[in-house]
Amino acid sequence: MTTQEASKGGYLRPGPIESFIANGLKTQDYYFDLPLYHTDASKKETIVVFARRVVAADKQADADKLPWLIYFQGGPGFGSPAYTTGWVKNAAKKFNVLLLDQRGTGLSTAMTVQVLSQFKTPQEQAEYFMQFRADSIVRDSELIRETLLANSTEKKWSLLGQSYGGFCITTYLSLFPESITAAYITGGIPPVVDSLETVYRKSYKSVMDHSEQYYKRFPMDIKRVKKIMNYLATNQVKMPSGGTLTPRKFQQLGQRFGLSGGMDAVHQLCLGAFITIQGKEVLSSGFLHDVDAAQDLIPPIYAILHEAIYCDGPNVASNWTASQLLNGEFKNVFEYSVKEYEPLEDDSNKIVYFTGEHMYDWMLDDYAYLQPLKECADILAKHTNWSKLYHPEVLAKNTVPVAAAVYYSDMFVDRECSENTAKLIPGIKLWITNEYKHSGLRDDSGVLTKLMKMVSNEVDVPTF
């Protein structure tokens, strides 16, 4: 597509389109000026949304004849992966792959504390955050589709979503099913049927199981983790990025357990936690930098909107559900996260459970870069007038071919909740597997290949 052709759509930012060829792939970078508010025509503010088109270099002459595949990233709050990612390279042989930096991520208009400081009040910040959920992302995508496919014979495109990207796809199926050729979901069928309390209750039980698996693999880490926790309980440990490393903040490293290689990474951290200086053991600067790198990359959207992505429609508030459950029925299990930590003896048989993908109210204190957003986060936690994300009556009439990989012991997206939602979508094909963790798409490009074969009926799998 030439600059002149692309500019006809109206939303594409005028000017030359940057393009390069590397690693056997040709890319084209697009910047779109899109409405911040899609459902309120009286508000004229716009944001920039970035997307990168990728096609195999030896297919570029025929690129305009190839179908399109748009990718929705996990999160919320993370930009698209590198164009050299394994599944991208494979898909670019058959598709124009569009790597979307969903609004607020990557090269799109940033959602950072720096940007949010322009608003005068926490309420204004909260109202801005409300425009960055799946329904807005999908409406962005529709305007982009209308722009990029304006001169194409085929006006539909296919969707691929990883984790939260699958939530976006389910919203797309609810709002614009007529725009979709096929949909592929990896570890990301949302809990349309189940409540937020049910989701987090299952999530806590899953991270408990994963914690026990961790200690079974690395039994000597039972003492190492307690030693680290004891040190953090009796010393104020400043992080390189600011803020304090508390016991409960250290426990959040358990989020890595749900990804390929995550347990090994945490084990490596624990192995090198301490150094001896003048006869005294202290936590090493390398350990603190590594913990910082693992945790302070959490985007504000991820931290602030994480529970809100489950709020489907009015009269639903998140109310810091993960914190409520932690202080309630799971208090005795994760006791070191809910009260002043009491050091344990090294020979105690009691293990320290890690926590997982849970965003807590206390994070707005423990994470230095999130502190300016504390009032905003509380407003969003109490908010009840959310837009609808899913429409079961539309999903019940689905005719779009949909294939989904459901990971049996997924720590992030519960299998049973996924199956409950799948029952609402006629014709969806599920591949339930224990071969992969949540990061299956990233770990093996064959995951997408199998899903595509499921849609084309080359692989026989159950249909819901």
Side-chain angles (χ1 to χ4, degrees):
M1 178 181 295
T2 65
T3 302
Q4 183 179 11
E5 289 174 332
S7 297
K8 291 180 181 178
Y11 294 101
L12 190 65
R13 177 166 286 189
I17 295 175
E18 185 172 355
S19 179
F20 59 88
I21 296 177
N23 300 293
L25 300 168
K26 180 177 180 179
T27 69
Q28 289 178 295
D29 291 351
Y30 302 130
Y31 293 86
F32 301 89
D33 292 310
L34 301 177
L36 171 62
Y37 299 90
H38 280 288
T39 56
D40 188 345
S42 68
K43 296 183 178 181
K44 305 302 182 181
E45 295 97 325
T46 62
I47 58 172
V48 175
V49 174
F50 172 84
R52 173 169 287 164
R53 178 187 186 183
V54 185
V55 67
D58 60 2
K59 300 287 186 180
Q60 59 180 307
D62 298 318
D64 289 339
K65 300 176 183 178
L66 293 176
W68 286 75
L69 174 71
I70 182 173
Y71 175 69
F72 296 95
Q73 175 66 300
F78 295 98
S80 258
Y83 71 96
T84 53
T85 302
W87 72 260
V88 177
K89 295 177 72 173
N90 284 349
K93 299 173 184 177
K94 298 180 179 180
F95 292 90
N96 288 290
V97 178
L98 193 69
L99 300 176
L100 176 69
D101 278 350
Q102 293 151 201
R103 53 169 55 199
T105 74
L107 295 177
S108 297
T109 297
M111 173 70 89
T112 64
V113 174
Q114 183 182 26
V115 171
L116 292 165
S117 65
Q118 68 182 302
F119 298 105
K120 295 180 180 179
T121 66
Q123 181 64 45
E124 290 180 352
Q125 292 177 337
E127 290 175 1
Y128 188 69
F129 264 109
M130 292 174 195
Q131 311 311 314
F132 286 77
R133 299 201 310 153
D135 50 343
S136 295
I137 293 170
V138 167
R139 289 188 167 93
D140 286 344
S141 304
E142 265 299 276
L143 296 182
I144 292 172
R145 182 191 63 81
E146 292 172 2
T147 300
L148 294 181
L149 278 65
N151 298 320
S152 300
T153 303
E154 176 56 66
K155 303 298 184 184
K156 297 183 180 182
W157 59 7
S158 295
L159 319 178
L160 169 62
Q162 158 64 18
S163 191
Y164 176 66
F167 290 37
C168 294
I169 284 180
T170 308
T171 298
Y172 215 136
L173 288 167
S174 293
L175 296 178
F176 306 104
E178 69 280 358
S179 299
I180 309 169
T181 302
Y184 310 100
I185 299 173
T186 59
I189 299 179
V192 176
V193 176
D194 297 281
S195 68
L196 181 53
E197 290 82 0
T198 297
V199 170
Y200 277 138
R201 190 172 288 113
K202 288 176 174 291
S203 178
Y204 274 123
K205 292 177 180 177
S206 180
V207 77
M208 288 169 60
D209 290 340
H210 280 76
S211 293
E212 291 169 4
Q213 292 171 28
Y214 173 78
Y215 290 122
K216 185 176 181 179
R217 181 181 298 182
F218 305 112
M220 294 187 70
D221 278 7
I222 294 175
K223 290 185 177 182
R224 291 191 182 103
V225 169
K226 288 176 186 174
K227 184 177 179 180
I228 294 169
M229 293 283 283
N230 289 348
Y231 186 91
L232 295 175
T234 54
N235 295 274
Q236 190 173 46
V237 179
K238 291 294 182 182
M239 299 294 287
S241 63
T244 302
L245 181 58
T246 58
R248 62 190 180 185
K249 189 174 179 181
F250 171 74
Q251 284 176 281
Q252 288 187 291
L253 287 173
Q255 185 170 353
R256 287 192 166 197
F257 292 170
L259 303 174
S260 177
M263 291 186 181
D264 297 278
V266 174
H267 171 62
Q268 198 65 28
L269 274 176
C270 294
L271 281 177
F274 289 93
I275 60 172
T276 301
I277 298 179
Q278 296 180 343
K280 182 180 179 180
E281 282 193 311
V282 297
L283 288 174
S284 72
S285 59
F287 170 81
L288 296 178
H289 277 287
D290 288 343
V291 173
D292 233 358
Q295 294 187 325
D296 277 354
L297 291 176
I298 299 174
I301 290 179
Y302 186 87
I304 307 301
L305 282 184
H306 197 274
E307 293 195 351
I309 67 173
Y310 296 98
C311 295
D312 184 19
N315 303 316
V316 179
S318 61
N319 285 322
W320 295 113
T321 299
S323 294
Q324 288 191 46
L325 287 172
L326 191 71
N327 288 299
E329 61 188 89
F330 291 98
K331 182 175 182 179
N332 293 332
V333 177
F334 299 97
E335 56 186 309
Y336 316 117
S337 292
V338 297
K339 67 178 183 180
E340 185 176 350
Y341 180 72
E342 298 176 1
L344 290 172
E345 295 296 330
D346 283 346
D347 60 354
S348 170
N349 290 324
K350 194 170 186 178
I351 65 173
V352 174
Y353 283 97
F354 286 83
T355 52
E357 192 185 37
H358 310 101
M359 298 295 110
Y360 301 108
D361 49 4
W362 54 257
M363 290 175 63
L364 282 300
D365 296 313
D366 286 22
Y367 286 77
Y369 73 103
L370 292 177
Q371 290 169 3
L373 301 178
K374 184 172 182 177
E375 290 183 71
C376 167
D378 284 333
I379 290 170
L380 289 167
K382 297 172 184 176
H383 184 71
T384 58
N385 192 27
W386 293 105
S387 55
K388 282 289 293 180
L389 298 174
Y390 314 112
H391 297 280
E393 70 280 6
V394 177
L395 294 175
K397 300 176 183 178
N398 177 66
T399 59
V400 176
V402 183
V406 178
Y407 306 123
Y408 191 84
S409 300
D410 198 326
M411 202 178 83
F412 299 93
V413 179
D414 181 73
R415 171 180 54 81
E416 292 180 347
C417 291
S418 295
E419 290 180 285
N420 290 340
T421 298
K423 294 173 184 177
L424 302 178
I425 306 174
I428 187 172
K429 295 182 178 181
L430 297 190
W431 170 31
I432 301 175
T433 176
N434 61 2
E435 297 176 59
Y436 303 98
K437 286 186 175 291
H438 188 68
S439 52
L441 178 65
R442 182 186 67 194
D443 300 334
D444 185 356
S445 60
V447 170
L448 177 57
T449 300
K450 180 162 182 173
L451 293 181
M452 290 183 171
K453 288 183 177 180
M454 288 163 59
V455 163
S456 62
N457 294 317
E458 297 175 60
V459 176
D460 187 24
V461 294
T463 299
F464 270 63

